[in-house]
Amino acid sequence: MVDNQENLHFRRALRKDLESLIEMLADDELGKLREDYQLPLPSAYEEAFAKIDQDNNQHLTVVTNDRGELIGMLQLTFIPYLTYQGGVRAQVEGVRIKKSHRGQGTGEQMMAWAIEKAKQEGAHVLQLTTDKLRPDAIRFYEKLGFTASHEGMKLHLPQNLKS
């Protein structure tokens, strides 16, 4: 961890943050292939934000520094289910840090926040997936204690992308 860490502030994402969030999601090698960052934003992002914002199990979280600059984001989802005697599973997705703030301990602080939030909400596990094409991310999560305990699988379904 880097010694000169900024103070980070975590809050629920607001509609006014949406443009910055999509810009961060699109600002990497994989994100630029799947996101459509343009202004004005495609309506699909507005619609998705509205659904996420209305769902109490979704915590779309932004991270700001002391200057109020939005420097990171993540989405924490709480999934109630029957196994583990009616347990709650926390899923973290969409972790992004602005390029200018990477390598400064921000990601470690963000994940520490997510772990603590998951504990507060009674989750018995915090899980995530990261693309196999992101070896640095895999090493980062392993360093934090995450293990590749399961084999993940996905089936991409055809869809009509909204514009």
Side-chain angles (χ1 to χ4, degrees), residues 14-147:
L14 304 172
R15 166 56 194 89
K16 70 177 185 171
D17 301 319
L18 189 55
E19 185 179 308
S20 296
L21 299 178
I22 303 309
E23 184 177 20
M24 270 194 285
L25 288 172
D27 191 23
D28 74 15
E29 291 303 311
L30 295 177
K32 70 182 176 186
L33 299 175
R34 57 184 172 221
E35 302 306 334
D36 186 13
Y37 178 67
Q38 59 176 295
L39 300 177
L41 289 175
S43 62
Y45 290 117
E46 300 274 353
E47 293 165 12
F49 180 85
K51 287 178 186 175
I52 292 165
D53 197 45
Q54 293 172 11
D55 184 340
N56 290 333
N57 286 318
Q58 303 295 329
H59 296 254
L60 183 57
T61 302
V62 298
V63 181
T64 60
N65 59 19
D66 284 334
R67 295 177 302 283
E69 180 185 10
L70 197 154
I71 61 170
M73 66 176 291
L74 61 82
Q75 184 170 343
L76 191 57
T77 301
F78 293 95
I79 309 164
Y81 57 109
L82 293 176
T83 59
Y84 285 87
Q85 302 174 36
V88 174
R89 181 175 298 250
Q91 172 89 18
V92 67
E93 291 284 342
V95 178
R96 295 292 190 284
I97 299 167
K98 233 177 162 178
K99 280 186 181 177
S100 59
H101 288 77
R102 293 181 189 158
Q104 301 173 25
T106 303
E108 289 150 340
Q109 291 181 68
M110 288 171 58
M111 292 308 297
W113 178 89
I115 291 166
E116 187 56 35
K117 182 74 172 168
K119 288 177 182 177
Q120 289 172 4
E121 296 291 326
H124 70 89
V125 68
L126 176 62
Q127 64 186 26
L128 58 83
T129 61
T130 189
D131 198 293
K132 290 181 179 184
L133 297 175
R134 296 184 191 275
D136 291 341
I138 293 168
R139 282 190 296 278
F140 169 76
Y141 292 122
E142 288 174 340
K143 185 176 103 174
L144 296 178
F146 287 84
T147 60

